[in-house]
Amino acid sequence: MAEVMTVRGPVPGAELGYVDAHEHLFLRTPALAGDEFWDPEKSTAEAAAVRAGGISTIVDLTPVGLGRRPAALAQLSADAGVHVVAATGYHRSAHYPAWHWAREVSADDLLDVLLTDLTVGMDDRDWAGPRPVPTTVRAGIVKLGASYQRITSDEARWFDAGAEAGRRTGVPIAVHTETGTLGHEILDRLDATSRVMLCHLDRNPDLGLHGELASRGAYLVYDTIGRIKYGPDSRILDLLEGMAAAGLAGQVCLGTDVGRRSMLRAYGGGPGMDVLGRRFLPRLEQHLGPDLVDQVMRRTPARFLSGAPL
Ligand SMILES: [Zn+2]
């Protein structure tokens, strides 16, 4: 049976339940200065609220250098009663200071970091104690990122490392797109046999484009649910309806990506990490029925994460 590596060990794809496919449980980046969050108790409260909304797996797409806390993720997973799939990889350039080591080291070293995270365990170097403490908490997915309408020279090197890590380990790859751009170019850069999920496609709600990308085998994640400044949730219902009518709903996953302190209810913000289960899924079920909910929340993410159909 195909298994998915979670922060507390391998879990069969069939046991993941409903999956929030794009989340951040701890985050610190110069691109969102002042919106960092790292408090384990508050993140555990958010994750417990997600669990209470019927979602039992959270995919944390926080890659190298953005404040991952591997040991705290494992503890949160146990305390909140959710599976957590952690990420390795490199985000788009804007998330790293100009002097960051990831811009300087060799291609071999870039790859070695990813392979260690995926096969041995992540360390807590993002939290900069006197020495990074290694853990046996393994990543289960590679996260990469592209800038708006272009892939920078650093991002291109990071794509090469991520693609090779995916080839060698068989783990899936999630890619940040800036405002839903460059989907085809990103797929061109990655191995056609890799399982690739494009994030934020609902920021560019172009159903024809989504159909083209899904027809190439890409998974799309609609992950601005509840973040109304990007548009009403109704546009995501419309996109899902259109993808279902085209026979492509099996390539779509859902998430909320509430990657800012100001979006978390534990810090007094909103809409909260649980908005997907609490607000959106009841609406989706009413609009398109329970089978489509089961498909996008359970069957499709299990296939993406594990590589095997349910
Ligand atoms: Zn994100």
Side-chain angles (χ1 to χ4, degrees), residues 22-24 27 32 59-63 66 91 95 143 176 199-200 223 227 256-259:
H22 187 169
E23 215 50 84
H24 300 278
L27 194 74
L32 299 171
V59 181
D60 180 318
L61 290 180
T62 311
L66 274 80
H91 211 307
H95 286 290
K143 168 76 177 284
H176 167 94
C199 303
H200 313 311
D223 51 17
R227 297 194 286 140
T256 64
D257 187 25
V258 286

